[in-house]
Amino acid sequence: MNTVTVGITLLVIILFIWISIVGRRLKKLRKQYTAVMGNTGITNIEEVIVELKESLAVQQQENQQIKAQLEEVQRTLPKQKGRVGVVRYNAFAEQGSDLSFSIAIINDDMDGAIFSGIHSRDNTYVYAKPVEKGESAYPLTPEERKAILEAK
């Protein structure tokens, strides 16, 4: 009978040690689970995975939209007339100062317009000429050509 009691006591001690080891592992696993789940309020990891997958799909769709918008901007930006060149000069050497001007507004393809203002003592006359590929159907003055070159 003593041997049976000693055997059962030994078995209980071994089981107690085993239960405490399993308890520590469970506590560590629970801590990791809580860290992964965070404050989502979801207790099922499958729901978290499904939610992450849906979120990833939405992000990919938004990424594709942004890429399409970027391609559109890259396609239209060179056509924008945003390059400006300004040249001031004295149209009449015997009077006044550099009050006449030429302003070129062109894009990367050298298409746009050039505006020239000729200032005299009594009036200022403003002229506009279309520009295609750096040239115009109308004769360009040296100052207008210089404004186009500055706008490049």
Side-chain angles (χ1 to χ4, degrees):
M1 191 72 143
N2 269 345
T3 57
V4 174
T5 308
V6 171
I8 292 175
T9 306
L10 201 57
L11 184 65
V12 167
I13 291 173
I14 291 172
L15 288 176
F16 182 73
I17 293 171
W18 184 59
I19 288 173
S20 68
I21 291 171
V22 170
R24 276 191 234 134
R25 286 183 184 172
L26 183 60
K27 186 175 181 181
K28 183 179 176 184
L29 184 61
R30 183 170 296 205
K31 196 180 281 187
Q32 289 174 345
Y33 181 77
T34 304
V36 168
M37 298 304 285
N39 293 327
T40 60
I42 301 172
T43 57
N44 186 353
I45 196 156
E46 292 173 355
E47 292 177 19
V48 172
I49 292 172
V50 169
E51 186 177 314
L52 287 174
K53 189 174 179 181
E54 290 171 357
S55 176
L56 181 62
V58 168
Q59 291 295 322
Q60 287 175 340
Q61 184 179 7
E62 289 176 358
N63 191 18
Q64 291 298 328
Q65 290 174 346
I66 290 172
K67 282 183 181 179
Q69 290 173 349
L70 179 62
E71 289 172 2
E72 179 67 23
V73 167
Q74 288 175 337
R75 192 171 42 255
T76 60
L77 188 62
K79 297 177 185 175
Q80 300 297 317
K81 290 160 181 62
R83 302 188 182 277
V84 178
V86 177
V87 175
R88 290 180 57 116
Y89 58 95
N90 186 358
F92 305 105
E94 68 276 355
Q95 59 176 322
S97 59
D98 292 345
L99 297 176
S100 297
F101 64 89
S102 291
I103 299 173
I105 303 172
I106 59 174
N107 63 10
D108 290 346
D109 295 332
M110 305 272 297
D111 296 337
I114 188 153
F115 302 92
S116 294
I118 308 296
H119 179 75
S120 69
R121 183 177 298 266
D122 298 327
N123 296 316
T124 298
Y125 298 96
V126 179
Y127 302 94
K129 298 176 185 176
V131 177
E132 290 183 18
K133 307 287 185 234
E135 294 295 325
S136 178
Y138 303 95
L140 294 173
T141 66
E143 293 84 8
E144 290 170 335
R145 290 190 185 282
K146 186 175 178 184
I148 290 172
L149 288 175
E150 283 187 16
K152 276 187 177 179

